[in-house]
Amino acid sequence: MRGPHSISGLRRPPERGSLPDFCSLPIMFALLVIAALTATIVWLASDNRRDWSSYSISILFVTWMAMMIGLSLCMLRSLLQCLPRQMPYVAAWLVIMPIVAGASVLAYEFNDALQLQLVRSNLGTFVRDNVAITALLAAAMLRYFYVLVQWRTRLAAATRAQVDALQARIRPHFLFNSMNTVAALIRLDPVAAERTVENLSELFRAALGQYDSSDGTLGDELTLIERYLAIEQLRLGERLRVQCDLGDLPVDFPLPRLLLQPLVENAVRHGIQPLREGGEVTLRGRRDSKGLCIEIGNPLSTNPPEPGNGHGLDNVRQRVAYRYGTLAKVEAGKRGDRFVVLLRLPNGPTSSAYSR
């Protein structure tokens, strides 16, 4: 009997292409710039008499044509997206050609009716030249968009896989210590043992990605931290002291799951556990107009750090950079006799490579 991940015998549906959003301002601006540059180059390379009136009308013509192309592709995008693989780009290229041909015919008739004498060639040559130039430019432009979308898709897939792998990793030492604590409490304090198992279960559910959404809330994360610290408190006793001052932080603030818990775990593992007298883990937070500022600190240990130190911090850095971009910062370093990690998370909606 095959397991749930053994699906090699099933036929996968054909992959669908992903066109850029031609309704967006950056894409429309790119079309207008390309059209204006093309008209300028043709005007400069022409052997005819160069005058500003013909240049202005040429810019007007290519701008109108670029807007027609952009709006047409914007309206047809949902239909073109249904085609497999690279076919949406081929279909988009085929859509552009009749638009250019029709616009060229209209421009020629308009020039002939008003006797502007801006077009000196016949109708067939004028339409042919415009279609040929547009075909080359459109092929290059769509190829660029295709490569850009593929690069973003691969980046999103690689980053998502890396985040999932980092999120799913549970340090063996924490599991072993927790199970030993439960075993010791079963006879001495069954209620505490049951509570510890419940806390451990919730941590495992979060770490193994039980939740469908990639984001939780600050309140969810703080609940996980409380469960984790409750487990460690049973093991470390009075050696572990916690000071929490989160002010008026909104508990419904969107936050990637298991973003803060690894930092608290690092603070306990590398700041409290090596010290015979223990120490204090601090969790502070404040909110300003730009977003949230969360600070996690622990005392510095004079002993060499245990192997693997820094993995949790690297995990957080990667996830914050991917989730919030350059607007967020993760700063870590010594501050007097303590080690402090500072997170600055921006307000408002954020984008990622795989949120579409």
XYZ file of all heavy atoms in Angstrom, residues 87-162:
596
model
N 2.371 28.662 -23.609
C 1.366 29.081 -24.582
C 0.716 30.430 -24.266
O 0.331 31.149 -25.201
C 0.301 27.993 -24.714
C 0.793 26.726 -25.398
S 1.553 27.058 -27.002
C 0.170 27.759 -27.900
N 0.543 30.839 -23.000
C -0.005 32.178 -22.768
C 0.822 33.277 -23.407
O 0.269 34.266 -23.906
C -0.007 32.291 -21.242
C -0.123 30.898 -20.764
C 0.665 30.078 -21.742
N 2.141 33.118 -23.433
C 3.004 34.134 -24.027
C 2.911 34.100 -25.547
O 2.924 35.150 -26.199
C 4.439 33.923 -23.559
C 4.631 34.235 -22.098
C 4.420 33.265 -21.122
C 4.996 35.506 -21.687
C 4.565 33.560 -19.784
C 5.154 35.817 -20.343
C 4.936 34.830 -19.400
O 5.083 35.126 -18.075
N 2.825 32.896 -26.116
C 2.642 32.786 -27.565
C 1.314 33.396 -27.970
O 1.217 34.147 -28.960
C 2.724 31.309 -28.002
C 2.445 31.174 -29.491
C 4.084 30.719 -27.649
N 0.255 33.096 -27.210
C -1.058 33.655 -27.513
C -1.064 35.176 -27.357
O -1.688 35.884 -28.161
C -2.115 33.028 -26.604
N -0.376 35.694 -26.338
C -0.291 37.139 -26.160
C 0.415 37.791 -27.348
O 0.010 38.860 -27.817
C 0.443 37.458 -24.857
N 1.472 37.136 -27.821
C 2.184 37.659 -28.994
C 1.273 37.679 -30.217
O 1.275 38.635 -30.990
C 3.421 36.792 -29.256
C 4.303 37.298 -30.354
C 5.274 38.257 -30.251
C 4.303 36.865 -31.717
N 5.881 38.450 -31.458
C 5.305 37.602 -32.386
C 3.558 35.932 -32.433
C 5.572 37.432 -33.736
C 3.818 35.765 -33.782
C 4.825 36.504 -34.425
N 0.461 36.635 -30.401
C -0.458 36.575 -31.533
C -1.565 37.614 -31.409
O -2.068 38.124 -32.419
C -1.066 35.174 -31.640
C -0.087 34.054 -32.004
C -0.783 32.703 -31.960
C 0.551 34.301 -33.369
N -1.967 37.935 -30.176
C -2.986 38.966 -29.975
C -2.458 40.339 -30.364
O -3.192 41.181 -30.916
C -3.462 38.964 -28.508
C -4.282 40.207 -28.183
C -4.275 37.723 -28.217
N -1.185 40.585 -30.113
C -0.604 41.897 -30.386
C -0.567 42.197 -31.880
O -0.801 43.339 -32.304
C 0.806 41.980 -29.776
C 0.721 41.948 -28.241
C 1.531 43.245 -30.228
C 2.076 41.878 -27.559
N -0.313 41.182 -32.708
C -0.117 41.420 -34.137
C -1.340 42.038 -34.820
O -1.210 43.055 -35.513
C 0.277 40.117 -34.836
C 1.617 39.529 -34.371
S 2.992 40.690 -34.542
C 3.221 41.182 -32.847
N -2.543 41.487 -34.690
C -3.696 42.143 -35.347
C -4.009 43.523 -34.780
O -4.530 44.380 -35.499
C -4.850 41.158 -35.115
C -4.433 40.316 -33.967
C -2.951 40.217 -34.050
N -3.709 43.743 -33.515
C -3.927 45.079 -32.946
C -3.036 46.095 -33.642
O -3.481 47.190 -34.022
C -3.659 45.068 -31.428
C -4.679 44.183 -30.710
C -3.692 46.482 -30.861
C -4.419 44.036 -29.223
N -1.775 45.739 -33.835
C -0.843 46.648 -34.498
C -1.242 46.850 -35.954
O -1.199 47.973 -36.482
C 0.594 46.096 -34.396
C 1.564 46.952 -35.207
C 1.024 46.043 -32.943
N -1.638 45.760 -36.622
C -2.042 45.877 -38.023
C -3.263 46.771 -38.167
O -3.313 47.661 -39.032
C -2.317 44.490 -38.599
N -4.260 46.567 -37.306
C -5.458 47.399 -37.374
C -5.168 48.852 -37.052
O -5.685 49.770 -37.705
N -4.345 49.095 -36.028
C -3.997 50.470 -35.677
C -3.211 51.139 -36.796
O -3.387 52.337 -37.062
C -3.182 50.477 -34.389
N -2.373 50.382 -37.480
C -1.601 50.947 -38.592
C -2.508 51.327 -39.748
O -2.323 52.375 -40.388
C -0.550 49.941 -39.050
O 0.341 49.620 -38.002
N -3.497 50.490 -40.030
C -4.443 50.817 -41.104
C -5.220 52.082 -40.763
O -5.395 52.980 -41.609
C -5.399 49.631 -41.341
C -6.516 50.029 -42.311
C -4.641 48.443 -41.900
N -5.698 52.194 -39.543
C -6.433 53.381 -39.127
C -5.556 54.632 -39.209
O -6.011 55.702 -39.662
C -6.960 53.197 -37.706
C -8.112 52.200 -37.518
C -8.468 52.083 -36.040
C -9.330 52.618 -38.317
N -4.310 54.505 -38.750
C -3.397 55.650 -38.809
C -3.127 56.068 -40.250
O -3.049 57.264 -40.567
C -2.095 55.304 -38.101
N -2.986 55.095 -41.138
C -2.733 55.410 -42.553
C -3.935 56.107 -43.169
O -3.794 57.108 -43.885
C -2.406 54.130 -43.313
C -1.967 54.365 -44.730
C -0.614 54.556 -45.034
C -2.903 54.420 -45.779
C -0.217 54.799 -46.352
C -2.504 54.662 -47.081
C -1.165 54.840 -47.361
O -0.762 55.078 -48.661
N -5.130 55.587 -42.892
C -6.331 56.214 -43.435
C -6.523 57.604 -42.853
O -6.947 58.532 -43.564
C -7.551 55.334 -43.123
C -7.526 53.969 -43.780
C -7.588 54.055 -45.294
O -8.075 55.092 -45.810
O -7.139 53.105 -45.964
N -6.234 57.780 -41.584
C -6.341 59.097 -40.957
C -5.368 60.079 -41.595
O -5.708 61.231 -41.884
C -6.065 58.958 -39.456
C -6.224 60.234 -38.683
C -7.480 60.704 -38.326
C -5.114 60.979 -38.309
C -7.630 61.876 -37.614
C -5.250 62.155 -37.600
C -6.522 62.607 -37.251
N -4.138 59.634 -41.839
C -3.135 60.479 -42.481
C -3.554 60.840 -43.897
O -3.362 61.973 -44.360
C -1.797 59.743 -42.478
C -0.721 60.496 -43.263
O -0.156 61.469 -42.785
N -0.437 60.024 -44.483
N -4.140 59.870 -44.612
C -4.542 60.116 -45.990
C -5.750 61.043 -46.053
O -5.836 61.911 -46.929
C -4.857 58.779 -46.663
C -5.080 58.933 -48.159
O -4.239 59.588 -48.824
O -6.100 58.417 -48.669
N -6.698 60.864 -45.096
C -7.900 61.690 -45.123
C -7.589 63.144 -44.809
O -8.177 64.065 -45.413
C -8.925 61.150 -44.130
N -6.687 63.387 -43.877
C -6.332 64.763 -43.507
C -5.182 65.320 -44.318
O -4.793 66.487 -44.104
C -5.975 64.811 -42.014
C -7.101 64.435 -41.032
C -6.607 64.549 -39.609
C -8.327 65.317 -41.243
N -4.633 64.485 -45.210
C -3.514 64.910 -46.071
C -2.359 65.484 -45.253
O -1.805 66.540 -45.539
C -3.991 65.934 -47.103
C -5.035 65.394 -48.067
C -5.461 66.410 -49.122
O -5.089 67.584 -49.054
N -6.258 65.963 -50.092
N -1.999 64.732 -44.197
C -0.886 65.168 -43.345
C 0.466 64.871 -43.967
O 1.472 65.498 -43.614
C -0.987 64.470 -41.978
C -2.240 64.792 -41.157
C -2.271 63.962 -39.886
C -2.313 66.281 -40.841
N 0.508 63.908 -44.881
C 1.740 63.515 -45.580
C 2.849 63.092 -44.602
O 4.026 63.366 -44.832
C 2.237 64.660 -46.479
C 1.266 65.018 -47.585
C 1.790 66.108 -48.498
O 2.830 66.729 -48.224
N 1.067 66.367 -49.582
N 2.419 62.443 -43.525
C 3.402 61.929 -42.572
C 3.901 60.552 -42.965
O 5.003 60.164 -42.584
C 2.782 61.866 -41.166
C 2.378 63.226 -40.559
C 1.651 63.005 -39.245
C 3.605 64.107 -40.372
N 3.102 59.817 -43.722
C 3.467 58.484 -44.174
C 3.719 58.552 -45.674
O 2.800 58.841 -46.451
C 2.357 57.453 -43.859
C 2.777 56.067 -44.326
C 2.041 57.457 -42.365
N 4.933 58.282 -46.094
C 5.294 58.409 -47.499
C 5.239 57.070 -48.224
O 5.263 57.042 -49.452
C 6.689 59.015 -47.621
C 6.778 60.391 -46.959
C 8.133 61.023 -47.151
N 8.226 62.308 -46.457
C 7.777 63.457 -46.954
N 7.189 63.490 -48.141
N 7.896 64.585 -46.272
N 5.179 55.963 -47.511
C 5.095 54.651 -48.148
C 3.635 54.286 -48.385
O 2.726 54.953 -47.893
C 5.775 53.595 -47.283
O 5.177 53.554 -45.998
N 3.421 53.203 -49.133
C 2.046 52.760 -49.360
C 1.523 52.022 -48.142
O 2.262 51.743 -47.190
C 1.963 51.894 -50.622
C 2.894 50.692 -50.542
O 2.969 50.003 -49.518
N 3.623 50.440 -51.627
N 0.234 51.677 -48.209
C -0.425 51.069 -47.057
C 0.215 49.741 -46.685
O 0.477 49.473 -45.497
C -1.916 50.879 -47.344
C -2.734 50.152 -46.266
C -2.694 50.910 -44.952
C -4.164 49.939 -46.727
N 0.461 48.886 -47.654
C 1.024 47.564 -47.368
C 2.382 47.643 -46.708
O 2.667 46.921 -45.737
N 3.234 48.526 -47.226
C 4.572 48.666 -46.645
C 4.504 49.228 -45.236
O 5.228 48.783 -44.337
C 5.429 49.578 -47.531
O 5.474 49.046 -48.856
C 6.845 49.690 -46.985
N 3.625 50.207 -45.028
C 3.496 50.827 -43.697
C 3.035 49.805 -42.663
O 3.607 49.705 -41.565
C 2.513 51.999 -43.790
C 2.287 52.705 -42.487
C 3.301 53.453 -41.895
C 1.054 52.635 -41.842
C 3.098 54.110 -40.684
C 0.843 53.278 -40.633
C 1.872 54.023 -40.058
N 1.995 49.034 -43.020
C 1.495 48.022 -42.092
C 2.536 46.940 -41.866
O 2.762 46.488 -40.723
C 0.179 47.422 -42.622
C -0.273 46.269 -41.732
C -0.907 48.484 -42.684
N 3.198 46.493 -42.943
C 4.211 45.434 -42.819
C 5.353 45.855 -41.911
O 5.785 45.082 -41.043
C 4.741 45.091 -44.203
C 5.784 43.978 -44.221
C 6.594 44.038 -45.496
N 7.360 45.284 -45.557
C 7.980 45.717 -46.679
N 7.881 45.019 -47.799
N 8.676 46.841 -46.652
N 5.849 47.072 -42.092
C 6.981 47.528 -41.276
C 6.592 47.641 -39.803
O 7.352 47.242 -38.906
C 7.473 48.882 -41.787
C 8.132 48.780 -43.156
O 8.448 47.643 -43.572
O 8.313 49.826 -43.803
N 5.391 48.179 -39.535
C 4.958 48.313 -38.144
C 4.775 46.950 -37.475
O 5.166 46.749 -36.321
C 3.654 49.106 -38.077
C 3.856 50.579 -38.353
O 4.972 51.094 -38.285
N 2.771 51.276 -38.695
N 4.185 46.001 -38.207
C 3.977 44.674 -37.646
C 5.315 43.975 -37.411
O 5.510 43.305 -36.385
C 3.068 43.844 -38.579
C 3.039 42.386 -38.128
C 1.656 44.414 -38.591
N 6.265 44.137 -38.348
C 7.565 43.483 -38.191
C 8.323 44.031 -36.980
O 8.893 43.275 -36.174
C 8.398 43.668 -39.464
N 8.326 45.361 -36.843
C 9.029 45.964 -35.700
C 8.370 45.536 -34.384
O 9.048 45.157 -33.418
C 9.026 47.501 -35.834
C 9.882 47.928 -37.031
C 9.554 48.147 -34.555
C 9.810 49.417 -37.321
N 7.051 45.576 -34.356
C 6.340 45.197 -33.135
C 6.531 43.727 -32.806
O 6.630 43.346 -31.629
C 4.843 45.503 -33.284
O 4.681 46.875 -33.645
C 4.103 45.226 -31.984
N 6.580 42.878 -33.851
C 6.765 41.445 -33.611
C 8.092 41.172 -32.906
O 8.160 40.369 -31.969
C 6.694 40.682 -34.934
N 9.144 41.841 -33.350
C 10.454 41.649 -32.723
C 10.465 42.195 -31.300
O 10.953 41.537 -30.368
C 11.535 42.326 -33.560
C 11.762 41.749 -34.965
C 12.767 42.596 -35.742
C 12.243 40.306 -34.878
N 9.930 43.406 -31.132
C 9.915 43.997 -29.791
C 9.021 43.203 -28.840
O 9.369 42.982 -27.673
C 9.433 45.443 -29.868
C 10.395 46.454 -30.487
C 9.722 47.811 -30.607
C 11.663 46.562 -29.659
N 7.869 42.760 -29.317
C 6.957 42.000 -28.469
C 7.557 40.663 -28.065
O 7.397 40.215 -26.923
C 5.628 41.788 -29.195
N 8.259 40.012 -29.006
C 8.897 38.737 -28.673
C 9.946 38.925 -27.594
O 10.030 38.138 -26.635
C 9.519 38.128 -29.926
N 10.760 39.992 -27.732
C 11.788 40.250 -26.720
C 11.166 40.619 -25.382
O 11.604 40.147 -24.318
C 12.718 41.355 -27.205
N 10.117 41.445 -25.415
C 9.483 41.884 -24.168
C 8.805 40.718 -23.462
O 8.954 40.539 -22.243
C 8.460 42.973 -24.482
C 7.699 43.483 -23.267
S 6.339 44.578 -23.728
C 5.261 43.408 -24.579
N 8.055 39.907 -24.196
C 7.375 38.762 -23.574
C 8.363 37.721 -23.078
O 8.127 37.063 -22.056
C 6.399 38.138 -24.576
C 5.180 39.001 -24.922
C 4.380 38.374 -26.056
C 4.291 39.199 -23.695
N 9.468 37.565 -23.807
C 10.512 36.651 -23.330
C 11.084 37.135 -22.001
O 11.326 36.338 -21.067
C 11.620 36.531 -24.372
C 12.814 35.707 -23.945
C 12.437 34.277 -23.643
N 13.582 33.488 -23.213
C 13.519 32.246 -22.788
N 12.342 31.621 -22.738
N 14.587 31.597 -22.401
N 11.291 38.428 -21.880
C 11.798 38.985 -20.627
C 10.805 38.753 -19.498
O 11.184 38.346 -18.393
C 12.057 40.478 -20.801
C 12.285 41.209 -19.500
C 13.491 41.090 -18.806
C 11.268 42.004 -18.948
C 13.680 41.752 -17.603
C 11.462 42.663 -17.750
C 12.669 42.535 -17.080
O 12.858 43.188 -15.891
N 9.507 39.004 -19.754
C 8.493 38.775 -18.739
C 8.437 37.304 -18.340
O 8.265 36.979 -17.160
C 7.127 39.233 -19.246
C 6.963 40.723 -19.287
C 6.182 41.320 -20.266
C 7.570 41.530 -18.358
C 6.031 42.698 -20.304
C 7.430 42.911 -18.379
C 6.658 43.493 -19.368
N 8.577 36.415 -19.307
C 8.530 34.985 -19.020
C 9.693 34.569 -18.120
O 9.502 33.854 -17.134
C 8.569 34.192 -20.320
C 8.677 32.696 -20.134
C 7.578 31.957 -19.726
C 9.888 32.036 -20.334
C 7.665 30.587 -19.545
C 9.990 30.669 -20.143
C 8.886 29.941 -19.755
O 8.987 28.593 -19.561
N 10.898 35.028 -18.460
C 12.064 34.696 -17.638
C 11.921 35.281 -16.241
O 12.261 34.629 -15.241
C 13.353 35.205 -18.317
C 14.559 35.043 -17.396
C 13.591 34.465 -19.628
N 11.380 36.502 -16.152
C 11.210 37.137 -14.848
C 10.208 36.369 -13.992
O 10.450 36.138 -12.798
C 10.730 38.579 -15.037
C 10.547 39.413 -13.764
C 11.867 39.557 -13.020
C 9.967 40.782 -14.106
N 9.093 35.948 -14.589
C 8.088 35.194 -13.835
C 8.636 33.843 -13.403
O 8.410 33.391 -12.271
C 6.809 35.027 -14.682
C 5.863 34.014 -14.042
C 6.106 36.368 -14.837
N 9.379 33.174 -14.294
C 9.961 31.887 -13.940
C 10.960 32.028 -12.800
O 11.024 31.191 -11.893
C 10.643 31.264 -15.159
C 9.679 30.840 -16.247
C 8.717 29.766 -15.770
O 9.130 28.748 -15.218
N 7.428 29.997 -15.972
N 11.748 33.081 -12.841
C 12.726 33.312 -11.770
C 12.023 33.547 -10.437
O 12.425 32.994 -9.405
C 13.592 34.510 -12.120
C 14.535 34.891 -11.031
C 15.698 34.280 -10.671
C 14.376 36.000 -10.118
N 16.276 34.930 -9.607
C 15.489 35.981 -9.248
C 13.413 36.986 -9.978
C 15.650 36.929 -8.246
C 13.575 37.929 -8.976
C 14.687 37.885 -8.129
N 10.959 34.338 -10.459
C 10.225 34.595 -9.223
C 9.545 33.332 -8.712
O 9.494 33.089 -7.498
C 9.176 35.690 -9.462
C 9.768 37.081 -9.618
C 8.690 38.100 -9.883
N 9.258 39.454 -9.929
C 8.561 40.537 -10.241
N 7.261 40.421 -10.521
N 9.129 41.724 -10.254
N 9.039 32.510 -9.639
C 8.391 31.266 -9.223
C 9.390 30.322 -8.575
O 9.117 29.709 -7.540
C 7.725 30.597 -10.430
O 6.776 31.497 -11.011
C 7.017 29.313 -10.016
N 10.562 30.189 -9.189
C 11.594 29.313 -8.611
C 12.073 29.849 -7.271
O 12.324 29.075 -6.337
C 12.758 29.183 -9.586
C 12.429 28.404 -10.850
C 13.679 28.081 -11.640
N 13.366 27.358 -12.867
C 13.238 27.919 -14.056
N 13.411 29.226 -14.182
N 12.949 27.204 -15.124
N 12.220 31.161 -7.173
C 12.648 31.756 -5.898
C 11.612 31.498 -4.813
O 11.959 31.154 -3.679
C 12.858 33.260 -6.081
C 13.251 34.049 -4.823
C 14.583 33.572 -4.287
C 13.277 35.539 -5.116
N 10.336 31.644 -5.169
C 9.276 31.396 -4.191
C 9.268 29.947 -3.751
O 9.132 29.643 -2.564
C 7.917 31.777 -4.791
N 9.422 29.017 -4.719
C 9.404 27.600 -4.375
C 10.595 27.233 -3.494
O 10.455 26.506 -2.505
C 9.413 26.761 -5.646
N 11.783 27.748 -3.862
C 12.975 27.430 -3.076
C 12.890 28.021 -1.674
O 13.224 27.370 -0.683
C 14.216 27.953 -3.787
N 12.411 29.251 -1.588
C 12.302 29.889 -0.282
C 11.246 29.211 0.567
O 11.434 29.003 1.770
C 11.953 31.377 -0.451
O 12.906 31.983 -1.319
C 11.959 32.096 0.882
N 10.120 28.836 -0.064
C 9.070 28.170 0.690
C 9.550 26.814 1.219
O 9.271 26.457 2.368
C 7.859 27.958 -0.225
C 6.668 27.354 0.478
C 6.091 28.318 1.479
N 5.071 27.716 2.310
C 4.412 28.360 3.249
N 4.684 29.613 3.489
N 3.505 27.749 3.970
N 10.280 26.070 0.371
C 10.791 24.777 0.819
C 11.779 24.948 1.966
O 11.790 24.171 2.929
C 11.456 24.052 -0.348
N 12.608 25.985 1.861
C 13.589 26.222 2.913
C 12.909 26.627 4.214
O 13.269 26.153 5.296
C 14.554 27.321 2.464
C 15.725 27.523 3.400
C 16.690 28.568 2.868
O 16.309 29.454 2.127
N 17.939 28.470 3.258
